[in-house]
Amino acid sequence: CFGQLFKCLKENFKFSDSPEITVEANPGTVDKSKIDAMLSLGVNRLSIGVQSFNDAELETLGRIHTSNEAVKAIGTVKNSGIKNFSIDLMYGIPGQTMKTWEETLSKAVESSPTHISSYELTPEKNTPLYGLIEGGKINMPDEELILEMYGYAIDYLASKGYEHYEISNFALHGFRCIHNLNYWDRGEYIAAGAGAHSFIKGFRSKNTDDIRRYIKDLNKGIIPEAESTEIKRDDAIKEFIFLGLRKTEGISLAKAKEFGLDLPGVCRELIEDGHLEMEGDYLRLTRKGLVVSNSVIVRLFEGLGLD
């Protein structure tokens, strides 16, 4: 299926000389034959959903792999010749401590990934984990510990040569995630597959989740969209701000002026509070602002008169 999709893309679109072709990999199901198949199709980057190197935490998250299986999967990836791979981690897991988080980060770095993503756990409604938390059977770590975990990750990964280039992402020099940077810069992208999203010519759209309808529509020459929304000026400004401020380099003041925005004037109080700072042409979140980024962005919207 992936092979047919990739062939179709190459036949209809012009690729860059060195495209980044990423596939997500589950440590519980990845093996050499699958990796070899992906390599034969041109895949050159894997994102491995490890989440934790602690078995109790993996069980809490409902993952099908163990810590040892994650280590083995990473070894298989490296032995197959893929040099560029990312490891996804989570902090703020029920039962997680600073000690287990430090151990997870240490094991991640020992695996020598080119990229590490570190996300705070956000339990989704209608999931078993959410039900356990709501039922009081397990408890989330307190906010102070979660902030301590985030701060430790920033400092520890920096000490190991990883650049903190986005709120949740860290990369060795030259290995920033290209497709994610495109999203944060509001670049265009095309949806391919059931449930996939696209952003083209100012419209954000989503394909149907129904695989049967997806196939039926394609066979009839119909684009299988389930929804499509035009991004008007105010929403475009919001996206420019909240996506751009995810990057630690921040947002360009010159680009802000293209929207007619005087950000330095609007942000004066946030700058004085130490949540934002300016350097050259860029406005960015400070270390203090990173940990409360959502509230900073809300205050920024209010200052701009955006609902």
Side-chain angles (χ1 to χ4, degrees):
C1 181
F2 180 81
Q4 291 176 326
L5 171 61
F6 192 57
K7 180 182 177 183
C8 178
L9 291 173
K10 293 193 78 171
E11 289 174 350
N12 291 277
F13 297 93
K14 182 179 179 181
F15 279 44
S16 68
D17 293 334
S18 55
E20 175 192 272
I21 305 173
T22 301
V23 170
E24 294 189 359
N26 185 328
T29 59
V30 70
D31 57 42
K32 187 177 186 304
S33 63
K34 290 179 181 177
I35 295 174
D36 288 343
M38 289 186 284
L39 284 170
S40 70
L41 296 169
V43 173
N44 54 21
R45 183 178 185 273
L46 288 184
S47 178
I48 308 171
V50 173
Q51 314 310 347
S52 172
F53 284 99
N54 180 281
D55 287 343
E57 292 166 9
L58 289 169
E59 185 176 351
T60 296
L61 293 171
R63 305 296 293 183
I64 65 171
H65 66 274
T66 64
S67 174
N68 285 338
E69 287 169 339
V71 172
K72 182 179 178 181
I74 292 169
T76 301
V77 168
K78 294 168 72 172
N79 292 334
S80 296
I82 293 183
K83 306 296 184 185
N84 187 6
F85 68 95
S86 178
I87 289 179
D88 287 354
L89 302 175
M90 280 189 180
Y91 62 95
I93 302 168
Q96 190 176 41
T97 66
M98 271 304 299
K99 184 175 184 296
T100 61
W101 177 231
E102 290 171 8
E103 290 170 349
T104 280
L105 285 169
S106 178
K107 286 186 178 181
V109 170
E110 285 175 13
S111 300
S112 303
T114 53
H115 188 282
I116 294 175
S117 295
S118 173
Y119 301 108
E120 179 183 345
L121 173 64
T122 304
E124 298 290 338
K125 289 184 178 181
N126 301 318
T127 62
L129 178 59
Y130 186 88
L132 290 172
I133 294 169
E134 286 294 291
K137 294 183 179 180
I138 57 175
N139 298 311
M140 294 288 290
D142 62 51
E143 189 64 28
E144 184 176 337
L145 177 57
I146 290 173
L147 292 177
E148 185 181 353
M149 288 177 174
Y150 180 54
Y152 179 82
I154 293 174
D155 294 333
Y156 177 73
L157 293 175
S159 75
K160 299 300 180 180
Y162 289 86
E163 173 195 16
H164 184 205
Y165 72 100
E166 189 270 346
I167 287 179
S168 302
N169 287 273
F170 306 79
L172 296 180
H173 181 70
F175 289 97
R176 292 183 177 189
C177 179
I178 296 173
H179 67 269
N180 276 338
L181 284 170
N182 184 60
Y183 302 147
W184 301 322
D185 288 334
R186 300 188 71 244
E188 293 188 328
Y189 49 93
I190 297 173
H197 293 252
S198 68
F199 181 44
I200 303 172
K201 295 182 178 179
F203 282 83
R204 293 196 180 276
S205 58
K206 176 190 173 185
N207 287 344
T208 176
D209 293 321
D210 185 340
I211 189 65
R212 292 183 179 84
R213 181 196 151 186
Y214 180 84
I215 294 171
K216 184 178 179 181
D217 284 357
L218 284 182
N219 286 335
K220 291 182 178 180
I222 301 171
I223 297 176
E225 288 182 349
E227 56 189 63
S228 182
T229 304
E230 183 178 7
I231 305 302
K232 303 289 188 179
R233 181 178 179 276
D234 281 1
D235 286 332
I237 291 173
K238 287 182 179 180
E239 289 185 356
F240 167 72
I241 291 172
F242 76 73
L243 290 174
L245 283 178
R246 289 193 64 88
K247 299 180 298 178
T248 55
E249 72 179 9
I251 51 181
S252 166
L253 297 176
K255 288 186 178 179
K257 287 182 180 179
E258 293 177 9
F259 284 105
L261 304 178
D262 174 24
L263 287 182
V266 173
C267 296
R268 188 172 294 110
E269 185 176 328
L270 286 165
I271 292 172
E272 291 174 355
D273 288 347
H275 291 103
L276 290 172
E277 63 184 3
M278 288 189 294
E279 182 174 337
D281 179 51
Y282 285 86
L283 176 74
R284 65 190 183 196
L285 291 163
T286 61
R287 175 73 173 263
K288 178 181 176 181
L290 281 171
V291 299
V292 290
S293 59
N294 288 340
S295 62
V296 172
I297 289 169
V298 168
R299 286 176 61 187
L300 187 48
F301 286 170
E302 290 173 347
L304 291 168
L306 299 170
D307 296 330

